[in-house]
Each structure stands twice: as structure tokens, then as C-alpha cells.
Amino acid sequence: MIRRTMILHTLDIKRTLMWLLLCLVPALAQAQIGEARHNICIGVSGGMTMNRIGFDPTIKQSWHCGPTFGVVARFTSERYFKAFCALQLELNYATLGWRENVLDAQSQPLPDTYQRDLHYIQLPVLARLAWGREKRGLMGYVLAGPQVGYCFKEHTKSSAFTLDSEGNPDRPNGMFAQYGMPIQKKFDYGITAGAGMELTTNIGHFLIEGRYYYGLSDIYKNSKKDVFSRSNNGAIVAKVTYLFDVKK
């Protein structure tokens, strides 16, 4: 009963967040209340992800680190008071997954290691607000929006496992089913938000940024008969971006 209540509560949160974001992006993209802008920039980005999977039942983890890179297109539509409003589209590759801190049934550390790499193609659609110098100088900005992704490959790295008296991996609560389970839901969706700084020069725009991605979907099935009731991605992303103007 508790598990069912948690699942229903999680579904309500997901629906609410997605509704708010889907309303936010068109509003910022279409608004023309302030001074119109028609700036289009394109470029490339690269950086690092630090991911954990929100397993329930819990699996103790450290941060799983991996690369991310992609292409970026930004459409600045207007200046509203002192804020520059833009829509930003990205197509990224990212390595997510999980890295376990392996414990035995008595919750004592073991020398065992286990890591699952999940390789994603991601498409964020972001509303962006920036403040500062529009031409040459420094800007600060925030951005947020929905993101979808698809896991096209997975890879496992592990040591030999310490076994219990029954010949199974020695783990708290006997939780070792994940070792033999490829991910069951390759399509991923969620919300991402972040902040950064942008330096505009006569040769382009240089950006440094941090953001957080919260997955609203799970990588495994989550019905009552399944192993996990929750298994969503949660990633911290640090990246740098270079953009150049296509249209000013």
C-alpha cells in the first residue's frame, strides 16, 4: 500500500512539473512585449556529467562520471525590461549510468566494483533569460525546460563478486537483480535547469554553465511485480559552449 501511494505521488509530481514547463517554453518563445530581437547563434558544447540512479529499493552509489558534447542553436526573440529572452535547442550525447559503493549483507564495504554506462542521445528545449551586456561584455543567465533522450547502448564494468553461502552476490537485503538486468525503458524524459555566465566578444560567445537534470521516467519497469518501484536518472552537468552569430 505504501509503495502504491509513493508511485501515485510521484506521478502527480511528474504531471505537474511537465505541465508547468510546457506552458513556460511557448510563453517565452512567443512573447513580443519588449524590444524585438532577431539574433540567431549556433555552436558546440562539451563537458562532464555526474549521474546517480534513484533506485527504490536503494542501492548505495557514488557519482558516475562521463562525457557529454553536442550542438547548440539559440534564438533570442526580445529584450523585456533588462532581461534578454531566448529559446535554446540542443542535440547532445551524454554518458549516464550508475557506479555502486558495494556493501555486504552486514553493510560492510567490499572490494567488489560495479559500473553501468548508459549512452544517451538527448534533446533539451530550454527557455533562457539573461542579464548584462548584450554586445561586448559579460552576461549572467538562467535556463530551464523539458528534455527527452534515448539510450542507444549500455556497457558494464565490474570485478569478480564476493558470494554468500548460497552462491549469490553478497549484498544488503539480497539486492543483486540489477546485475543481470539490461535497461527496460530506453526512452528517457525529464526536466533540466541551470545557470551560467557568457562572455560576448567580436569572435563569438563563450559560455560556462552548470545544470541539473531530473528524470521523470525510469530505466526499469516499476509495476508491483517488478524489482524496482523507481529507477530514474539524476545528473549534474558542467559544460562550456562556443557560439557564433548567424544573424544579428
Side-chain angles (χ1 to χ4, degrees):
M1 185 67 179
I2 295 175
R3 181 173 175 176
R4 182 181 180 185
T5 302
M6 290 177 63
I7 292 172
L8 291 174
H9 180 64
T10 302
L11 288 173
D12 288 339
I13 294 173
K14 290 179 181 180
R15 294 190 187 102
T16 301
L17 289 171
M18 289 301 293
W19 181 83
L20 288 172
L21 286 165
L22 290 172
C23 288
L24 173 64
V25 172
L28 289 175
Q30 296 176 9
Q32 290 296 328
I33 299 174
E35 301 173 15
R37 295 292 189 275
H38 304 285
N39 179 249
I40 301 175
C41 300
I42 61 173
V44 295
S45 67
M48 184 181 73
T49 65
M50 296 167 51
N51 193 69
R52 285 178 177 167
I53 303 292
F55 285 115
D56 187 9
T58 300
I59 295 174
K60 190 172 179 60
Q61 304 165 58
S62 56
W63 289 108
H64 175 286
C65 297
T68 181
F69 54 85
V71 293
V72 182
R74 188 177 76 198
F75 309 90
T76 303
S77 60
E78 69 171 321
R79 178 180 179 178
Y80 184 68
F81 292 101
K82 295 184 178 181
F84 296 94
C85 306
L87 177 67
Q88 184 165 307
L89 306 177
E90 301 177 4
L91 182 63
N92 298 324
Y93 161 83
T95 301
L96 305 181
W98 77 94
R99 180 182 179 188
E100 296 190 18
N101 287 337
V102 183
L103 307 176
D104 65 14
Q106 286 71 47
S107 296
Q108 297 301 311
L110 289 174
D112 304 9
T113 61
Y114 185 85
Q115 178 172 310
R116 183 82 65 88
D117 297 333
L118 304 177
H119 302 273
Y120 281 89
I121 293 295
Q122 300 174 327
L123 177 64
V125 180
L126 306 171
R128 181 181 187 270
L129 295 176
W131 297 265
R133 298 181 67 88
E134 182 178 12
K135 295 183 179 178
R136 297 183 62 179
L138 200 61
M139 272 190 179
Y141 65 88
V142 296
L143 73 179
Q147 175 177 298
V148 296
Y150 182 80
C151 180
F152 64 92
K153 185 173 70 172
E154 58 182 303
H155 178 69
T156 297
K157 304 173 187 175
S158 69
S159 66
F161 289 157
T162 301
L163 305 180
D164 60 20
S165 59
E166 298 180 357
N168 296 317
D170 189 6
R171 301 292 183 266
N173 302 318
M175 181 54 64
F176 57 85
Q178 70 275 16
Y179 298 143
M181 293 171 60
I183 69 168
Q184 297 166 327
K185 296 183 176 181
K186 295 182 179 294
F187 180 72
D188 181 68
Y189 63 90
I191 55 175
T192 188
M197 299 295 293
E198 175 179 346
L199 177 63
T200 299
T201 71
N202 56 3
I203 61 170
H205 308 263
F206 299 87
L207 298 84
I208 183 168
E209 176 187 309
R211 65 174 71 166
Y212 182 75
Y213 172 71
Y214 182 80
L216 299 176
S217 60
D218 295 318
I219 64 171
Y220 290 122
K221 295 179 180 179
N222 55 15
S223 68
K224 287 185 178 180
K225 66 180 181 180
D226 292 309
V227 176
F228 298 105
S229 63
R230 184 168 61 92
S231 55
N232 64 308
N233 285 301
I236 297 172
V237 183
K239 63 195 305 185
V240 293
T241 303
Y242 170 72
L243 302 173
F244 62 91
D245 293 309
V246 175
K247 180 180 179 181
K248 294 186 178 182

